[in-house]
Amino acid sequence: MAERPAAEIAVPSKDPKEKKKEEDKKLDTKANGVKDEEEELSEEDAQLKSELEMLIERLKELNTDLYRPALETLRTLIRTSTSSMTSVPKPLKFLRPHYPGLQELFETWSTSENKSLFADILSVLAMTYSDTEPRGTLRYRLLSASLLPPTSEISEPGSWGHEYVRHLAAELGEEYTIRQEGEEAVPLPAPEADSDAPKSKPAPVPGTIEDLHNLGLECATFFLGHNAEPDAVDLFVELEIVDRIASLVDANTFGRVCAYMDRCVTLLPPPDDVTFLRTIHKIYLQFSKFPEALGVAIRLNDAALIRQDFNASGNPVMKKQLAFLLARAQIPIEWLKASASEDADAEDEFPEDILECLSNTQLSRHFKEFGKEVGVADPKSLEDVYKSHLETTRSGLSANVDSARANLAGTFVNAFVNAGFGNDKLMVEAEEGNSWVYKNKDHGMMSAAASLGLGLLWDTDVGLSHIDRYTYSPEEWIKAGAFFATGLLNAGVRTEADAALALLAEHVENQSVPLKTAAIMGLGVAYAGSHREDLLTLLLPAVADDGVSMEIAALSALALGFVFVGSGNGEITSTILQTLMERDDKALDEKWGRFMALGLALLYVGLQDASDATLETLKAIQHPISRQAQILVEVCSFVATGNVLRVQRLLHLCGEHLDALKEKEQAESAEGKKDENKDEKKEDKKPDDTFQSFAVLGIAMIAMGEDIGAEMSMRQFNHLMHYGDPIIRKSVPLALGLISASNPQLPILDTLSKYSHDHDLAVALNAIFAMGLVGAGTNNARLAQMLRQLAGYYYKEPDCLFMVRIAQGLVHMGKGTIGINPFFSDRNIMSRPAIAGLLATIMAFTDAKAFVLDKYHWMLYFLVTAMYPRFLITLDEDLESKPVTVRVGQAVDVVGQAGKPRTISGFQTHQTPVRLGTTERAELATEEFIPYAHVLEGFVILQKNPGWEKEDTMQM
């Protein structure tokens, strides 16, 4: 391309107006240049040039017998010269000036096999004219194919070399796009593009869309055979035939193709992303990669595919591994059973060992063993977490702290820190009558009793007997706490006994509000993601009943949202919509409205466009809650997709009434009534800005799970914090906590640390909680130090101090073994119940004064659906623990890189079981065992490598 302007600039040098001397000089240098160039040509090159010119002369002669040998020789010369990677091949360089003449010559020939070969050669030469004649290469390639007699075959595009194929692929994409935009009207767009061509009649690119597709398949086959998998995928994306790649890949290329396609998914607009996932799934199944295929099916949330993948493997051990994956994603067991109409012969019951894996029943046992292995089995006291001797407070000043408040904070810290180990001193191991419950007042007792459920998490056998004694308490709050504890205990674990349902169902209709809410939410948490129809009949009446308070209706809707998360259940949707339409404005204005909207939104987690009808219906509701619900439903539908257009829409909402306010203020200042109106306006505006808070959280929801989007959103949050209204500033820290849960990156920690000293206490409070979320279960020393400083800084602010304590509890969650990041399996698969739990907890903080700091602090326990041990435990084929050496290091993205680069960096070698951070990855240190799973995370079953010992003896 650089040569063209040079030629154009040389033209004015012959301008007659210029001085004679200058002209002479220029002509001299020009002649010298030509001479030099001639001299520079080596003997070999000069010979090649004259040979090429002679061949072209032959083509211009009348004797047609000379054409074939001349063309054959040209073809051979061009093909043999494309060896050098760095320079333009010599024949192309020498033939370039003759290209226009050859084009004209081509038009004069009659149709024959020779003309087809000529077109093929012109197609290669057209590469040198691609800037002035777009798509020339493609045009002649298709012409060459069309001129061939049916008996003979056209040469492969690859025979002209890699650069030619890449050129052809680029032009294919261009031509396809032009045709799609011009409604496949072939002749119209192409001639304009080709109008520079020195021909009397500019010709369009011939051929149908099908021809373009076929040529694309040839190019892709070449790419796949030459380690250019990404090019093949990109070409198919442009030609919109991605699904056809499944037929081209082989055992050597499928892994790289799938890895590249997987990385593209978050960058594609719907519905392309789903097409990609389905294609990846098809390829994995083709090569019997069941765990990978099942992972993709879970991401698609497609019950039929999940069942098909689970039953595809005949190997019982592989089935156990798949069962572990399904249990981690909390896929309803009912999905795996064939419906009666489909398959009457299908086995109804699974073997017991597979059912155990599916139900997570062994999770508690393995978790406790893991705790012993890593040396954290002993319970931690509050002082071990607070380390108040390191705090910077002056002694004697903290005496005015509200002791009930401090004890309540202690309840949560104890619950989160000792979660799952079932041995904490305050609750589980406490003697009768000396329990921590009695150190709390009223509603504090409920959270204290409920903390039992967290302490005994996943341990359904022992747990129920501990909780049971509190269910007979005369104190209503304690009883309610015990009910909620029953639900928490069963979170993510399915048992035959169905204890939670058996114990709590009867209390859903209880007259007492605390007992009723505890039973409803207990069921919601215990059966999160299970899609159980029997819970629908139990909880739905409370949503529709106008007689019950908004609190009960909203919490019932939320519980249903938990249970049916991501199901798009029509019955629940219509009932909640009906309720939102029929309830009077006073009820909808209550603080509980947001939870009803959230319950509706959770039904659509990850369903993308399926929520369109619901969004349209919501627009009909004449109340501010309609706008809140629309945003929540939309962001839940597109959670973790990185959909840019949705994020832009949310940013518009965040900046919405700033400008309007400014205009109003300017108008009012002219009238001089500025101050009075400000108060009035606050009154008017008050109920209607909650939606902005949800819009901010929505940006985090859509951007999470994809690093580039998350990084870009950080910058937007920074702007919102500078220029946003109080409601927006209050929500930014929560969004930061959500986008980086259990993943303490330094920039985020520094930002939150800054916000935690904000002059607006609501912002500071949320920033402190967000610090807890970001560091949840990481034991991050830097974060612990920041929180200790904050405890000293806020020693006179009971609310903030309460929050600092809870954040400290979260950072040491499960003594550093439990995380709340909703993504697993190399951060590829999103757990829907975890999203529900995180979102519900954060929703309570959009108005912390009304919920968490009031008497609904038990909402912090919603996090339990997102809590999961961050371990790697290797098991043998009988599911007994099997220690092996593994390397653990920071995960490195190696997609599209050549060869077999290292997938982890800065690794350390450990013996399993081992703890994995959010951004860490493990790989086996030796090849003695072959893992059944594709990602070493959670439970991994190993198989002895039969060829391993032989290698060992060979080394001897």
Side-chain angles (χ1 to χ4, degrees):
M1 280 173 81
E3 287 176 54
R4 300 296 297 159
E8 285 159 22
I9 295 164
V11 178
S13 71
K14 297 173 186 168
D15 200 324
K17 286 179 191 171
E18 289 205 327
K19 291 178 189 167
K20 192 89 177 122
K21 266 187 193 171
E22 256 179 43
E23 197 179 303
D24 288 349
K25 243 189 227 170
K26 279 187 184 168
L27 287 171
D28 271 2
T29 52
K30 204 171 177 204
N32 284 348
V34 172
K35 256 186 218 160
D36 291 349
E37 207 175 288
E38 300 257 323
E39 283 165 20
E40 269 174 30
L41 284 182
S42 62
E43 248 174 75
E44 222 174 285
D45 291 352
Q47 189 186 346
L48 177 66
K49 191 174 181 188
S50 59
E51 194 177 340
L52 290 168
E53 281 167 358
M54 181 194 72
L55 289 170
I56 288 168
E57 288 309 314
R58 282 225 188 123
L59 295 177
K60 290 180 182 170
E61 288 173 20
L62 295 174
N63 182 358
T64 49
D65 296 344
L66 297 173
Y67 293 169
R68 187 75 188 180
L71 289 169
E72 294 281 2
T73 318
L74 261 179
R75 177 163 70 178
T76 316
L77 284 172
I78 294 174
R79 279 189 185 170
T80 50
S81 68
T82 51
S83 53
S84 163
M85 288 290 288
T86 49
S87 55
V88 179
K90 290 281 182 343
L92 294 187
K93 196 170 166 185
F94 298 145
L95 288 171
R96 188 169 190 277
H98 302 286
Y99 178 65
L102 289 173
Q103 277 184 303
E104 284 166 27
L105 182 63
F106 174 76
E107 297 299 333
T108 61
W109 283 22
S110 60
T111 305
S112 65
E113 198 165 341
N114 287 346
K115 187 170 182 179
S116 166
L117 180 54
F118 192 7
D120 209 8
I121 290 170
L122 278 178
S123 167
V124 180
L125 294 182
M127 282 166 37
T128 58
Y129 263 82
S130 58
D131 46 347
T132 53
E133 288 184 32
R135 298 185 300 292
T137 306
L138 176 63
R139 218 187 105 226
Y140 283 114
R141 172 78 199 179
L142 290 168
L143 272 174
S144 170
S146 63
L147 293 168
L148 266 186
T151 48
S152 46
E153 283 279 307
I154 187 169
S155 62
E156 294 270 310
S159 60
W160 292 107
H162 203 121
E163 193 51 48
Y164 174 73
V165 183
R166 285 183 54 184
H167 213 90
L168 203 53
E171 295 191 354
L172 266 172
E174 228 172 279
E175 173 66 21
Y176 185 80
T177 313
I178 284 174
R179 292 205 187 175
Q180 292 304 83
E181 282 167 5
E183 251 55 41
E184 303 188 12
V186 185
L188 291 174
E192 295 163 17
D194 267 36
S195 55
D196 292 358
K199 300 196 298 284
S200 55
K201 192 178 77 183
V205 175
T208 59
I209 292 281
E210 192 47 43
D211 292 340
L212 294 182
H213 283 170
N214 290 337
L215 186 53
L217 287 169
E218 284 182 46
C219 292
T221 311
F222 176 82
F223 283 141
L224 289 171
H226 291 76
N227 299 329
E229 293 88 353
D231 292 348
V233 176
D234 292 345
L235 174 60
F236 276 9
V237 173
E238 289 197 52
L239 296 180
E240 296 178 352
I241 48 169
V242 166
D243 45 340
R244 291 206 203 170
I245 201 163
S247 57
L248 299 182
V249 292
D250 59 22
N252 297 323
T253 54
F254 82 93
R256 292 167 62 89
V257 168
C258 290
Y260 179 73
M261 287 176 72
D262 200 343
R263 294 298 294 202
C264 295
V265 170
T266 45
L267 308 173
L268 290 167
D272 292 358
D273 47 2
V274 178
T275 316
F276 255 55
L277 284 173
R278 289 196 180 279
T279 308
I280 297 171
H281 180 265
K282 189 169 154 191
I283 295 173
Y284 277 142
L285 269 191
Q286 213 168 293
F287 292 94
S288 301
K289 293 286 179 192
F290 300 117
E292 288 94 327
L294 185 64
V296 176
I298 293 172
R299 285 164 69 182
L300 285 164
N301 201 26
D302 182 326
L305 276 186
I306 291 174
R307 181 168 63 247
Q308 172 200 326
D309 292 350
F310 182 67
N311 294 324
S313 168
N315 180 346
V317 184
M318 177 55 95
K319 269 206 158 154
K320 290 180 202 169
Q321 184 65 67
L322 297 179
F324 279 132
L325 186 59
L326 290 171
R328 172 71 181 93
Q330 295 189 26
I331 296 296
I333 296 181
E334 290 70 34
W335 282 12
L336 302 175
K337 297 177 179 163
S339 53
S341 57
E342 254 176 63
D343 189 359
D345 310 329
E347 48 177 329
D348 223 24
E349 283 307 308
F350 297 109
E352 197 163 307
D353 49 355
I354 287 181
L355 199 61
E356 269 192 2
C357 302
L358 279 171
S359 320
N360 255 342
T361 37
Q362 293 298 317
L363 181 60
S364 177
R365 176 174 74 87
H366 282 297
F367 177 63
K368 286 175 181 165
E369 281 174 15
F370 168 64
K372 282 198 194 94
E373 283 288 332
V374 289
V376 293
D378 301 333
K380 273 194 167 190
S381 67
L382 298 181
E383 189 44 45
D384 293 341
V385 177
Y386 297 159
K387 301 199 168 122
S388 7
H389 59 282
L390 298 175
E391 282 174 17
T392 47
T393 32
R394 293 170 290 276
S395 54
L397 284 176
S398 49
N400 63 348
V401 170
D402 174 3
S403 69
R405 204 54 182 292
N407 285 355
L408 182 60
T411 301
F412 288 104
V413 173
N414 176 56
F416 284 127
V417 171
N418 295 307
F421 287 101
N423 60 1
D424 68 286
K425 292 277 185 277
L426 300 187
M427 291 294 305
V428 182
E429 303 278 306
E431 292 90 49
E432 194 69 43
N434 200 12
S435 162
W436 185 257
V437 173
Y438 304 110
K439 293 201 169 63
N440 287 279
K441 284 196 276 197
D442 303 342
H443 48 79
M445 289 178 158
M446 176 172 171
S447 283
S451 73
L452 259 180
L454 221 53
L456 296 157
L457 196 56
W458 308 308
D459 189 350
T460 43
D461 307 336
V462 179
L464 287 170
S465 56
H466 274 284
I467 293 169
D468 190 52
R469 60 180 195 221
Y470 290 102
T471 52
Y472 304 113
S473 166
E475 185 70 58
E476 200 171 66
W477 291 106
I478 297 181
K479 207 167 171 180
F483 289 164
F484 195 36
T486 310
L488 295 174
L489 177 72
N490 285 287
V493 180
R494 309 268 172 267
T495 52
E496 296 246 337
D498 248 351
L501 187 59
L503 294 169
L504 300 180
E506 54 185 302
H507 297 288
V508 171
E509 296 299 319
N510 202 307
Q511 289 308 305
S512 147
V513 174
L515 294 180
K516 198 167 184 171
T517 50
I520 290 171
M521 281 328 300
L523 287 171
V525 171
Y527 295 102
S530 67
H531 299 204
R532 291 272 296 260
E533 291 294 329
D534 43 357
L535 289 171
L536 189 142
T537 46
L538 190 63
L539 295 171
L540 206 53
V543 180
D545 186 358
D546 276 352
V548 301
S549 68
M550 192 63 186
E551 176 182 351
I552 301 291
L555 286 176
S556 301
L558 181 62
L560 285 168
F562 268 108
V563 176
F564 288 89
V565 62
S567 67
N569 187 302
E571 200 179 331
I572 304 175
T573 303
S574 54
T575 309
I576 296 180
L577 287 170
Q578 197 70 27
T579 308
L580 290 175
M581 285 177 183
E582 288 173 358
R583 287 247 169 180
D584 52 7
D585 285 4
K586 189 167 172 291
L588 294 177
D589 284 341
E590 279 185 45
K591 61 184 180 184
W592 293 102
R594 69 192 71 201
F595 281 107
M596 187 167 273
L598 179 63
L600 175 63
L602 290 179
L603 299 174
Y604 290 101
V605 167
L607 294 189
Q608 301 208 4
D609 296 327
S611 59
D612 287 353
T614 308
L615 287 169
E616 287 307 312
T617 318
L618 282 169
K619 286 177 187 164
I621 298 172
Q622 301 297 316
H623 185 273
I625 198 167
S626 136
R627 203 157 184 198
Q628 300 169 22
Q630 280 173 47
I631 292 173
L632 285 173
V633 170
E634 188 173 352
V635 299
C636 282
S637 309
F638 287 91
V639 61
T641 54
N643 189 309
V644 182
L645 298 173
R646 309 276 160 176
V647 173
Q648 286 173 346
R649 204 178 304 171
L650 294 170
L651 282 169
H652 276 297
L653 290 171
C654 294
E656 199 166 83
H657 64 279
L658 290 178
D659 306 332
L661 270 183
K662 275 183 193 150
E663 284 163 23
K664 271 191 195 168
E665 280 178 23
Q666 283 158 5
E668 286 151 13
S669 59
E671 295 161 17
K673 300 190 216 159
K674 197 169 170 190
D675 292 350
E676 297 169 41
N677 286 23
K678 252 192 183 165
D679 300 336
E680 282 174 38
K681 214 180 322 148
K682 269 187 190 145
E683 288 305 306
D684 297 345
K685 198 188 76 180
K686 195 81 174 155
D688 202 5
D689 58 1
T690 321
F691 73 88
Q692 290 190 308
S693 165
F694 299 163
V696 177
L697 295 175
I699 296 171
M701 291 274 292
I702 292 175
M704 71 201 282
E706 185 244 334
D707 297 341
I708 301 168
E711 211 166 299
M712 283 158 63
S713 65
M714 293 286 302
R715 191 163 165 204
Q716 300 301 343
F717 291 143
N718 210 355
H719 294 323
L720 291 173
M721 203 64 185
H722 276 285
Y723 306 114
D725 281 19
I727 183 93
I728 290 179
R729 296 189 70 237
K730 193 166 82 173
S731 312
V732 168
L734 296 175
L736 289 173
L738 182 60
I739 209 163
S740 183
S742 282
N743 184 12
Q745 301 154 317
L746 279 182
I748 293 189
L749 289 187
D750 291 343
T751 310
L752 286 174
S753 175
K754 190 172 73 188
Y755 296 161
S756 64
H757 295 80
D758 198 273
H759 57 85
D760 178 353
L761 282 184
V763 175
L765 189 91
N766 284 354
I768 296 167
F769 176 62
M771 287 164 99
L773 287 181
V774 168
T778 59
N779 280 353
N780 189 298
R782 184 179 183 136
L783 194 48
Q785 175 61 24
M786 284 178 185
L787 290 169
R788 280 197 293 275
Q789 284 171 344
L790 283 169
Y793 183 77
Y794 283 121
Y795 71 98
K796 281 186 175 165
E797 287 290 342
D799 286 351
C800 291
L801 187 59
F802 173 67
M803 219 57 251
V804 170
R805 295 305 184 207
I806 283 174
Q808 285 177 311
L810 289 174
V811 169
H812 298 285
M813 183 184 283
K815 295 171 234 173
T817 57
I818 296 179
I820 57 169
N821 194 297
F823 295 92
F824 62 97
S825 184
D826 239 351
R827 289 192 297 161
N828 274 333
I829 307 176
M830 175 185 77
S831 158
R832 289 177 167 78
I835 291 282
L838 281 171
L839 209 50
T841 315
I842 282 176
M843 197 52 71
F845 277 88
T846 51
D847 189 352
K849 280 264 182 291
F851 293 109
V852 180
L853 301 175
D854 194 29
K855 53 182 191 225
Y856 302 103
H857 30 73
W858 48 265
M859 289 188 168
L860 284 164
Y861 291 133
F862 286 158
L863 283 176
V864 75
T865 58
M867 288 164 62
Y868 198 84
R870 301 174 22 168
F871 52 36
L872 161 61
I873 294 183
T874 45
L875 308 168
D876 59 18
E877 300 189 354
D878 303 323
L879 302 190
E880 287 307 315
S881 189
K882 179 158 197 63
V884 294
T885 45
V886 289
R887 292 195 279 259
V888 179
Q890 286 298 317
V892 181
D893 182 17
V894 293
V895 173
Q897 290 187 18
K900 287 194 174 171
R902 285 238 170 259
T903 51
I904 57 176
S905 75
F907 60 80
Q908 294 177 321
T909 309
H910 296 284
Q911 191 88 347
T912 58
V914 57
R915 179 189 175 281
L916 294 179
T918 306
T919 54
E920 289 178 335
R921 188 182 285 165
E923 54 184 42
L924 293 177
T926 62
E927 290 180 9
E928 185 179 353
F929 294 98
I930 302 170
Y932 277 92
H934 62 302
V935 177
L936 296 189
E937 206 173 288
F939 296 108
V940 175
I941 304 175
L942 300 177
Q943 172 192 18
K944 188 90 170 145
N945 183 352
W948 197 71
E949 289 131 326
K950 292 170 197 161
E951 287 174 30
D952 219 29
T953 48
M954 272 162 53
Q955 283 169 2
M956 295 291 286

